[in-house]
Amino acid sequence: MMFHEMKEKDVEKILNTSIENGLTASDVEKKRKQFGWNELQEGEKQSAFLLFISQFKDFMILVLLAATLISGLLGEYIDAIAIIAIVLINGFLGFFQERRAEKSLHALKELSAPQVTVLRDGQWQKIPSKEVVVGDIIRFSSGDRIGADVRLVQTVNLEIEESALTGESVPAVKSIAPLSNSHASLGDLENMAFMGTMVTRGNGLGIVTGIGMNTAMGKIADMIQNAENLVTPLQRRLEQLGKILITVALGLTLLVVVAGVVHGHDLYTMFLAGVSLAVAAIPEGLPAIVTIALSLGVQRMIRKNAIVRKLPAVETLGCASVICSDKTGTMTQNKMTVTHLWSGGNTWNLTGTGYNPKGSFYIEDQEILPQNEKSLYQLLTFGLLCNHAELKKKDDEFIIDGDPTEGALLVSALKAGLTRDALLKQFKIEKEFPFDSTRKMMSVIVKDKNGRRFVITKGAPDVLLGLSESVLWGGKQQYLNEELINAIESSVEHLASMALRTIAIAFKPIQEQTVIINERDAEKGLTFVGIQGMIDPPRPEVKQAIKECREAGIKTIMITGDHAITARSIAGQLGIFRGKEKVMEGAELNKLSLDALEDVVEDVAVFARVSPEHKLKIVKALQNRGHIVAMTGDGVNDAPAIKSADIGISMGITGTDVAKEASSLILLDDNFATIKAAINEGRNIYENIRKFVRYLLASNVGEILVMLFAMLLSLPLPLVPIQILWVNLVTDGLPAMALGLDKPEDDVMRRKPRHPKEGIFARRLGWKVISRGFLIGIVTLLAFLTIYHKNPENLAYAQTVAFATLVLTQLIHVFDCRSEKSIFSRNPFGNMYLVWAVISSLLLMLLAIYVPALQPIFHTIPIEPKDWMLIIGLSSVPTFLLAGSLFVRKKA
């Protein structure tokens, strides 16, 4: 049996404590030896040095280090220094990223109370929360943070804000009665209080039942520590690419060297050529270009109200297939808003969102003035008088100071033109009976300017109806009969079916000679006035964002601690729940194993009344089904699932520090719609990475093949080693980087998400690399042969023509890489960064050919104008031959 199912005396007995006197000093010492200190434990830390060294185990990093060694052997010290700088930058980025993750636990620790008021040896005293033990009697009041998990034994109007744990926006009303549900979720444990939550109203007394890692907060800390750091799809693809490149490059390079030696070239010359080819074939700048592309994407995301904490996150979000989103504050506004009012058989709709005091009243689609509807105006007036909330404006935004429910009643009255200041000139509040969880109501006694006195009461509709003798109906006061009671109950059920939280208003006149001493005298013989129905409304822009995600093949799942009816209604309004999907509650989730959940998880659109463990379970079930999962949230309860998801997204405004530290992406505007922009950006970044991988590899394949073919045909070297390295520098640098700045193609958000196991060479990229590379090699060799056969004595001139042809072929090919379709499908001037990069590369090539001081270094001879026609013609063939044949096939 759990503590929430026990009576107070049983809890007291089991934990060997006394509500009257608390624990003794010796009891405390024994319990501390048994249970330890009340603090969240940290897992074993890896030393900073080992953590830094571990950043260099990645396969591509090892390839880069090998390239550094080779560059050094060739005397290319600038290349070697540049590569080492890239390796170190990547290492430091990874190091700081992992170090930052450790802050999640520190943020959790800050949620624990610094001091707690505890009863020991019959005396109340304040002690550091760390010293609290199981069995301690602690007390707390409004503004206090709960220092441990507690079974409540006394409450007076106690309300606790638990949104960080449960996701519910409204403070939980607490009581002390035992509960019968052994599988109740955190949000349903009305007689328990939890470490890290905040008392917003009233006061209470409780017995500590859990400390440190044995609290609800401790379980979350444990899940954060043990959550796996997943390898992102981008990291998997780059590792795959690195292995392929090193294998193919070394194999082909070895083949070139062997073929050259066999055909009579000296070993030293072929070794230098082979090493040059190896350096050219391995695109050592690839990680740097990927990092730059991601960094530029991050800058664009900041302008769209999103901060990326981990660079691969943007690309990972681009291939997300499921978004698991918290409801409160993420999809909704976290602002309780009255949308429907009922009185005397009439129902009015009220427009406006959030706490903005502007809105209109409608009945049957006809706008009305509330002043002309007596019962409606009375309902709004009484709701404002029996109310403590205040509306304030901060930075052009309206906020509520006080209880969110009372805030909703206040705003509904303001929309009718009522103000508290004006009402207090007509009514004087003489006495108040505060809300408490037992009565489920609040009352005030007011006197109007004519000296008449009234009781005004607000509370749960079923409770007020049971205390009422009459009702305002059709503008008249009528005694309640069965027919009227049924009509009121039917209206309450109708509002509840729309997921509205309902608050009833009632009143009664007080005779002049009557003296009301307590709430029992005040709250009987009431006249039922009406009901106000309120909801935390969806953000207006979220529905469209969810629709666009669905068109992009991405499913949105709502995961919330709120009730199923409320969650289903909000999900229906947003287009997440469309009637065929399932709605599953936490109690049902408890009964399912992970394997059983995997079988049904794709049919569920809404998970309601869930705990932090449930969120983690849902994320893992979806991942086991092969999905790339994005998890959004703002509370401590979301942190473990945020960290375990492929990409975690937290809220910048309402998000807790714990959620932010566990996340990869922070939404500055707390807006689900911003995720759509991130998905667009992520997909484009990956497509741009594919573009420059395609470009780099096709170019490098061409360089290797021109040398291989020449060796197999017993020809002289068409390129000398320094020319190979210069081609690599000229073509692999700026143009490849400019491809990373390309704008998305028009249909990027109409494609299905990429499969998480899709290789970098999927969608015919491998064929494009090989076919273009083959043609680049062929035309370069043709240019060399054409000039060489004209004048075999002038080998250096033929090599210069081959050098120019190879560079120009690659620079034309870069424009073909901008599209999956063909070079004709995109405007070549649509990416001016690329245009300027190509012009810069051309100038660098011309400098190497025509500047006298550089000619001896690069073994070049100025090319005659007539030979440029040959170079330009052959350079155009690889791109336009294949693009043209594709265009003809499409026309046919």
Side-chain angles (χ1 to χ4, degrees), residues 281-292:
I282 300 169
E284 64 275 5
L286 181 60
I289 294 173
V290 169
T291 302
I292 290 167

Side-chain angles (χ1 to χ4, degrees), residues 772-840:
R772 268 61 167 189
F774 177 81
L775 287 174
I776 289 170
I778 289 292
V779 298
T780 303
L781 190 61
L782 282 174
F784 172 75
L785 285 172
T786 301
I787 301 300
Y788 179 69
H789 282 303
K790 285 182 181 178
N791 187 5
E793 301 299 321
N794 196 352
L795 176 61
Y797 186 75
Q799 288 173 332
T800 305
V801 169
F803 167 66
T805 304
L806 183 60
V807 171
L808 193 58
T809 304
Q810 293 179 12
L811 295 180
I812 294 173
H813 173 241
V814 74
F815 289 98
D816 190 29
C817 295
R818 291 187 62 220
S819 175
E820 294 278 343
K821 300 164 189 172
S822 83
I823 192 171
F824 302 116
S825 64
R826 304 199 74 180
N827 181 355
F829 298 101
N831 183 347
M832 288 306 297
Y833 297 106
L834 183 59
V835 172
W836 288 114
V838 166
I839 292 172
S840 301

Side-chain angles (χ1 to χ4, degrees), residues 323 325 330-331 542 545-546 556 667 670-676:
I323 300 174
S325 177
T330 309
M331 292 182 166
V542 168
I546 289 171
T556 304
L667 305 183
D670 285 14
N671 196 335
F672 182 93
T674 304
I675 299 171
K676 187 212 69 172

Side-chain angles (χ1 to χ4, degrees), residues 169-349:
S169 55
V170 178
V173 178
K174 295 297 182 178
S175 61
I176 62 173
L179 305 174
S180 57
N181 186 357
S182 59
H183 296 292
S185 65
L186 286 178
D188 293 323
L189 299 181
E190 296 176 359
N191 57 8
M192 298 288 294
F194 303 102
M195 174 190 272
T197 58
M198 180 76 76
V199 179
T200 58
R201 187 175 187 178
N203 57 74
L205 187 77
I207 304 171
V208 174
T209 59
I211 61 170
M213 298 301 284
N214 291 319
T215 61
M217 192 73 74
K219 290 175 183 175
I220 291 175
D222 184 61
M223 285 190 284
I224 290 175
Q225 287 181 21
N226 294 320
E228 297 178 20
N229 284 316
L230 297 175
V231 178
T232 70
L234 180 60
Q235 289 168 325
R236 283 198 294 269
R237 292 185 186 98
L238 288 180
E239 185 176 355
Q240 173 200 42
L241 177 61
K243 290 176 179 177
I244 293 171
L245 287 180
I246 193 70
T247 304
V248 173
L250 292 180
L252 288 174
T253 301
L254 183 62
L255 185 60
V256 169
V257 173
V258 171
V261 172
V262 168
H263 288 85
H265 293 281
D266 67 277
L267 180 61
Y268 178 74
T269 301
M270 289 313 303
F271 175 74
L272 283 181
V275 171
S276 300
L277 277 177
V279 173
I282 300 169
E284 64 275 5
L286 181 60
I289 294 173
V290 169
T291 302
I292 290 167
L294 291 172
S295 299
L296 292 171
V298 166
Q299 295 303 313
R300 289 192 292 269
M301 286 308 305
I302 289 173
R303 292 194 290 271
K304 295 175 183 177
N305 289 319
I307 294 177
V308 178
R309 296 184 62 249
K310 300 172 186 175
L311 282 184
V314 180
E315 185 274 338
T316 310
L317 186 59
C319 60
S321 55
V322 174
I323 300 174
C324 294
S325 177
D326 189 42
K327 175 182 71 68
T328 304
T330 309
M331 292 182 166
T332 63
Q333 300 177 37
N334 202 14
K335 297 174 180 178
M336 294 302 291
T337 306
V338 173
T339 60
H340 291 73
L341 304 99
W342 178 94
S343 181
N346 293 317
T347 301
W348 293 269
N349 297 335

